[in-house]
Amino acid sequence: MIPPSEFTRRVMAAGNPGLREIGVGSWEEEHPDEPRPIGEQYDEELLNEGDRRNVMDRYRYWSVEAIKKDLDERGRYGFEVAVENWTHDFNIGSIVRTANAFTANAVHIIGPKKWNRKGSLMTELYQHVHHHASIDEFIDNLTARAEQEGKPRPRIIALDIVPGAQPIERYDFPENCVMIFGAEGPGLTSRALERADDVVYISQTGSVRSLNAGAAAAVAMHTWVMQHGVIG
């Protein structure tokens, strides 16, 4: 449970109409005329204390395990996300959070196992997160998994602005793919670019050379959803 910050509570207490309270209070407090929900998906502590997490309303009072299981059973999308973790980039957390928002099938961290979780806001708890020591190990693991499942290996799509890259606006994402992102600044390593099946970039018209890594990942994932997702 992530409660409102002390600053937020004080502003709310002062009657500031510009801020809204996130989540719901305890079940008895918020729903005095309705029966207490019964089911293994509900978390007793959240029912008693309230649920201030950043989750969809359908998941209020649900345990982390129940939410993750429901996402799996409802069906995650066919794309996966990989991030090279060589600089402990804070954008990794943001990418994980976006992967959760678009129900990516899995997230892969390539490089050091410890990564910057600050921007994820605990959304990694609802994802299948895998670690790989190198880009070669990552691709070997993908290949082995595909062979075991009797399926084609996911197409590896590198997102970076380099010579020969294709503009994302004209690229047709495969339904079964892994998008791989690099660190803020240096971008993807040369080995990642070598092993990728396709390299794609996001067209820009301003003065800066590249988008923030977290923002670029969000654009790429949403593009996949626009091409393959179920909207409605």
Side-chain angles (χ1 to χ4, degrees), residues 22-179:
I22 300 300
V24 292
S26 66
W27 184 264
E28 292 81 7
E29 173 190 331
E30 294 295 311
H31 308 280
D33 299 323
E34 299 180 28
R36 188 180 180 88
I38 299 175
E40 62 180 12
Q41 75 268 33
Y42 292 105
D43 184 288
E44 188 69 23
E45 181 178 351
L46 294 174
L47 287 170
N48 291 331
E49 304 297 332
D51 188 351
R52 305 297 181 184
R53 300 172 301 174
N54 183 22
V55 297
M56 301 290 279
D57 287 343
R58 63 171 284 135
Y59 292 128
R60 290 294 174 204
Y61 305 114
W62 284 36
S63 69
V64 168
E65 294 77 12
I67 294 174
K68 187 174 182 179
K69 180 181 178 182
D70 187 65
L71 290 172
D72 289 339
E73 292 177 347
R74 288 171 59 203
R76 298 177 187 267
Y77 278 140
F79 75 92
E80 301 182 15
V81 175
V83 191
E84 288 195 298
N85 180 32
W86 305 113
T87 62
H88 205 56
D89 186 0
F90 72 93
N91 282 284
I92 293 177
S94 176
I95 292 172
V96 171
R97 181 181 180 186
T98 303
N100 170 259
F102 293 129
T103 57
N105 188 53
V107 175
H108 304 270
I109 307 297
I110 302 170
K113 193 168 186 178
K114 184 178 180 180
W115 54 279
N116 194 329
R117 287 170 165 76
K118 185 176 181 180
S120 68
L121 297 180
M122 300 181 73
T123 52
E124 73 275 8
L125 299 176
Y126 310 108
Q127 285 295 133
H128 298 288
V129 181
H130 308 285
H131 173 254
H132 313 270
S134 67
I135 186 69
D136 291 321
E137 179 183 294
F138 162 62
I139 295 177
D140 288 345
N141 290 344
L142 277 184
T143 303
R145 187 189 74 185
E147 291 176 350
Q148 184 178 19
E149 296 175 350
K151 300 177 181 179
R153 174 179 65 72
R155 194 163 185 84
I156 299 170
I157 303 164
L159 275 294
D160 208 343
I161 300 180
V162 294
Q166 306 177 54
I168 196 172
E169 296 82 7
R170 298 175 191 160
Y171 182 75
D172 292 326
F173 277 94
E175 188 168 353
N176 180 28
C177 68
V178 178
M179 304 177 205

